[in-house]
Amino acid sequence: MINRFCKMPLWECSTKLADVAMGRAPADMVITNAKLVNVCTHEIQENIGVAISCGRIALVGDAAHCIGPDTKVIDAEGQYITPGLLDGHMHIESSMLSANEYATAVVPHGTTGVYYDPHEICNVLGIPGVELMIRDAARTPLKAMLTSPSCVPAVPGFEDSGCVVTSEDIAREMQRDEVVGLGEMMNFPGIVGSAEETHKITGNTLKADKVVTGHYSIPETGRGLNAYVASGVRCCHESTRAEDVLAKMRLGMYAQLREGSAWHDLGVICKAITEHQVDSRFACMISDDTHPFTLARDGHLDHIIRRAISFGIDPITAVQMVTINTATCYRMDHELGSVTPGKCADIVFVKDLEHFEVTRVIIDGEVAAENGRLSAAIEPLDYPEWAMNTMHVGETITPETFRIPTEKKDKATVRVIEIIPAHVSDIERRAELKVVNGCLESDTEQDVLKTFVFERHHNTGKHGVGFVKGFHITCGAMASTVAHDAHNLLVVGSNDEDMALAANTLIQCGGGMCAVSNGKVLGLVRLPLAGLMNPKPNAEVAADVEQLTKAWAEIGCNIVSPFMTMALIPLACLPDLRLTDRGLVDCNRFTFVPLEAEE
């Protein structure tokens, strides 16, 4: 695969690099006195120099002869240097930040490249939304490598999204220089069932010689997983058990170990590495979804490395899992992922490996960040009106909207979505609810809350109805337009009045997340860009998110990142039970099911 993300193609500067390495020409930059984390050989090399020219590495070793009168010399002072950190699967939109603000937040933490799937904005705004993301990211030093959204909507026929992406669209998108592969193929039933259009989507990617990324979320590691891998899917981030990771790696699939703001899978699934004598080359670590408060407080991939080390993964192995392994997964290890001659000069300085405190970041041979700050400010993009006006709910929402009539007289048994804190899966349960004035109501004593999903893209007036369990709120309501993946308007609450207030608050402000109680808005994160992001600086958005977290706690919720867990309620490609604007979906059998159930 040709890499379009470095300062200069290797074929244009190979002569210059050879001259620098031989001492016939001075380097642009030389790093001295460093401890190199060599991810190629899994070792630490002491007192290493690195000569850089044309944004690439010319020499690793004794670089004294590469220094000329105008060479910039950086004394590492005995610090460690690693390759630039690469996130192999993530969604910029999940940070709630614009692409330029996301880069501002993560580059100082050592992230030099991301393989991002903008299927969130694509579900709202289609390919034009993706193009907007590309333009925004291109103005930053971050290498933003696009995996083109594959499933818009995520599960066709079960939800209404803002747009639809076809195999013909994918064929065109694969011609873009910015595109390195296909975004997560969530329609794994279509792959294993040999659905023609689904295989055309992956086929057009393979035909373009680009990487197909995966999403295989069920605990089946036999014929289904084999069929999925055989169809050309190269990696998957949906492992929640160590045995899932092992099975995927044994079949030659890159297992992407996830540790995001809400999805804390790493402590369990890393046991595939720590408790088994296996080669870790097919293991990567990724963030998937990280909200701004986590980025501001903990960091990004540096934080995940620290978490991995705390779980028993060797520090050098942890670095490999966000550098060379990721680059190899995307068939870009000839350009990225190691501090070796010819590669892009993306280098991270850290004080020590155990705490992995990043002090300096070099991208394409230039200092991009030092001491936690980006070296140069990025001017914000002027976003068009069509991207900032996306709330098109085709009904007037009042407290009466949230009535759920039933023909039962005293009690009714309903299906309930029980969330699992810090995990993406849920469990289908049953609950017996009292009938009040001919309607079903929330029951906070059972921790069972009304849940509605309103179509918000085409003014259709559709909405789905269900119940959810696990948030522990005792009063109030929550609403969000971050509702994967169609991103319709999601409302959960204990009473109809607060649910109406929460819904209308987001309609009026252009989208976002909010928590309300007793007729008062307690926390609000405005996300006017596609109802998903805010162009403001990370610190401001993070402060709003922190206030929202406090608001959730005030109404009784005590789980980690509850708004991110809530956002998965409509995601019909994850087991067991989900709610979309079209109704309740059994995501194991992929069929709609009624709200009321038999005993």
Side-chain angles (χ1 to χ4, degrees):
M1 181 183 296
I2 295 177
N3 172 24
R4 309 288 186 182
F5 299 92
C6 290
K7 182 177 181 179
M8 186 178 295
L10 184 57
W11 63 80
E12 290 186 8
C13 59
S14 59
T15 301
K16 179 68 177 295
L17 294 177
D19 284 341
V20 170
M22 293 300 295
R24 292 189 293 265
D28 299 329
M29 175 186 291
V30 167
I31 300 167
T32 64
N33 192 28
K35 296 176 183 175
L36 172 63
V37 180
N38 194 317
V39 295
C40 301
T41 54
H42 197 280
E43 64 177 328
I44 305 295
Q45 293 178 270
E46 301 278 347
N47 196 27
I48 291 295
V50 180
I52 297 168
S53 181
C54 305
R56 290 180 177 269
I57 297 168
L59 176 144
V60 178
D62 182 357
H65 65 289
C66 304
I67 299 173
D70 297 321
T71 301
K72 180 175 182 176
V73 178
I74 296 178
D75 185 351
E77 298 178 330
Q79 291 190 38
Y80 293 86
I81 59 171
T82 77
L85 310 183
L86 303 170
D87 193 335
H89 173 75
M90 53 77 63
H91 309 282
I92 291 175
E93 303 98 312
S94 293
S95 72
M96 307 179 211
L97 304 172
S98 60
N100 65 348
E101 286 298 334
Y102 179 82
T104 301
V106 302
V107 169
H109 288 282
T111 302
T112 61
V114 295
Y115 294 86
Y116 73 112
D117 178 355
H119 69 207
E120 322 294 3
I121 197 168
C122 193
N123 266 276
V124 179
L125 298 174
I127 299 299
V130 175
E131 292 170 344
L132 183 63
M133 188 79 79
I134 290 171
R135 291 203 307 272
D136 198 7
R139 301 173 311 112
T140 78
L142 181 70
K143 289 180 166 66
M145 295 164 280
L146 178 68
T147 58
S148 192
S150 65
C151 298
V152 179
V155 186
F158 289 91
E159 61 187 345
D160 291 283
S161 61
C163 296
V164 175
V165 171
T166 67
S167 57
E168 288 77 14
D169 293 323
I170 294 298
R172 288 190 294 271
E173 289 301 292
M174 288 301 143
Q175 304 310 307
R176 290 182 182 272
D177 288 344
E178 299 90 353
V179 173
V180 300
L182 185 70
E184 55 180 305
M185 175 42 72
M186 293 177 284
N187 189 8
F188 59 87
I191 292 292
V192 302
S194 296
E196 182 179 0
E197 173 66 5
T198 309
H199 277 266
K200 281 184 178 180
I201 288 173
T202 56
N204 284 340
T205 305
L206 297 171
K207 197 181 301 182
D209 193 31
K210 296 186 178 182
V211 171
V212 177
T213 71
H215 173 117
Y216 191 82
S217 60
I218 58 175
E220 190 279 335
T221 56
R223 63 182 67 183
L225 180 59
N226 274 268
Y228 196 62
V229 177
S231 299
V233 184
R234 190 165 172 84
C235 56
C236 176
H237 63 281
E238 285 294 340
S239 300
T240 57
R241 307 176 304 167
E243 52 263 45
D244 299 333
V245 172
L246 277 174
K248 289 167 184 174
M249 292 196 299
R250 285 168 174 164
L251 296 177
M253 170 179 268
Y254 283 84
Q256 298 169 313
L257 282 61
R258 172 173 52 198
E259 186 74 2
S261 290
W263 331 130
H264 296 177
D265 297 320
L266 188 58
V268 171
I269 60 179
C270 75
K271 293 176 182 178
I273 307 299
T274 59
E275 296 183 1
H276 296 268
Q277 296 297 316
V278 295
D279 194 316
S280 61
R281 75 180 73 183
F282 279 93
C284 306
M285 295 191 298
I286 57 97
S287 68
D288 197 2
D289 300 302
T290 308
H291 67 62
F293 184 64
T294 300
L295 294 175
R297 182 190 62 191
D298 301 324
H300 184 222
L301 292 173
D302 56 334
H303 168 60
I304 295 177
I305 289 174
R306 290 189 289 270
R307 293 278 287 173
I309 293 171
S310 75
F311 294 135
I313 292 181
D314 171 80
I316 301 177
T317 300
V319 173
Q320 287 177 318
M321 291 165 67
V322 290
T323 57
I324 194 167
N325 292 11
T326 303
T328 305
C329 172
Y330 284 92
R331 297 190 284 116
M332 295 176 70
D333 52 303
H334 64 300
E335 296 273 49
L336 305 173
S338 64
V339 180
T340 51
K343 307 302 187 294
C344 298
D346 301 339
I347 300 171
V348 176
F349 292 65
V350 293
K351 288 184 178 180
D352 65 83
L353 294 186
E354 189 73 21
H355 300 96
F356 213 84
E357 181 183 345
V358 176
T359 61
R360 182 184 290 113
V361 182
I362 292 174
I363 299 179
D364 288 335
E366 298 180 5
V367 176
E370 284 191 280
N371 300 317
R373 291 187 174 276
L374 209 63
S375 297
I378 306 167
E379 288 297 319
L381 187 69
D382 186 14
Y383 299 98
E385 176 62 25
W386 54 264
M388 304 291 283
N389 181 22
T390 62
M391 295 299 293
H392 307 296
V393 178
E395 60 181 302
T396 300
I397 296 178
T398 67
E400 287 69 33
T401 305
F402 296 96
R403 289 171 52 84
I404 307 177
T406 178
E407 294 181 358
K408 299 290 174 55
K409 299 303 181 184
D410 299 313
K411 296 179 181 179
T413 300
V414 299
R415 289 179 169 85
V416 175
I417 300 167
E418 182 174 359
I419 61 149
I420 306 174
H423 292 281
V424 298
S425 299
D426 67 25
I427 303 169
E428 180 178 342
R429 300 293 193 192
R430 298 287 191 275
E432 189 177 73
L433 299 179
K434 294 179 181 178
V435 177
V436 180
N437 297 323
C439 292
L440 299 172
E441 299 292 346
S442 297
D443 186 341
T444 56
E445 290 187 3
Q446 295 189 68
D447 188 27
V448 174
L449 304 174
K450 285 183 182 180
T451 306
F452 279 60
V453 177
F454 297 89
E455 194 279 323
R456 67 131 171 145
H457 305 294
H458 304 294
N459 291 307
T460 64
K462 291 182 183 178
H463 67 251
V465 180
F467 286 91
V468 69
K469 178 182 179 69
F471 287 110
H472 310 148
I473 75 165
T474 56
C475 61
M478 307 85 70
S480 178
T481 53
V482 179
H484 301 286
D485 274 337
H487 297 292
N488 287 305
L489 174 59
L490 169 64
V491 188
V492 177
S494 66
N495 66 85
D496 300 346
E497 291 74 17
D498 281 339
M499 293 178 78
L501 173 60
N504 286 312
T505 296
L506 296 191
I507 291 171
Q508 291 161 11
C509 75
M513 302 175 179
C514 70
V516 309
S517 182
N518 295 318
K520 180 181 178 183
V521 178
L522 304 179
L524 172 61
V525 179
R526 293 177 175 84
L527 302 175
L529 178 54
L532 300 172
M533 295 171 282
N534 193 314
K536 291 183 178 179
N538 180 43
E540 294 184 35
V541 182
D544 289 342
V545 172
E546 185 176 13
Q547 178 57 41
L548 180 63
T549 302
K550 292 177 180 177
W552 275 79
E554 187 175 336
I555 59 178
C557 185
N558 57 2
I559 69 171
V560 63
S561 296
F563 38 87
M564 295 191 80
T565 302
M566 174 179 159
L568 294 187
I569 289 172
L571 187 51
C573 61
L574 291 174
D576 283 335
L577 183 67
R578 303 285 163 171
L579 175 67
T580 75
D581 67 303
R582 296 191 183 188
L584 281 170
V585 183
D586 180 329
C587 301
N588 295 312
R589 296 182 296 145
F590 287 96
T591 182
F592 287 106
V593 292
L595 175 61
E596 294 189 30
E598 298 298 326
E599 296 289 343

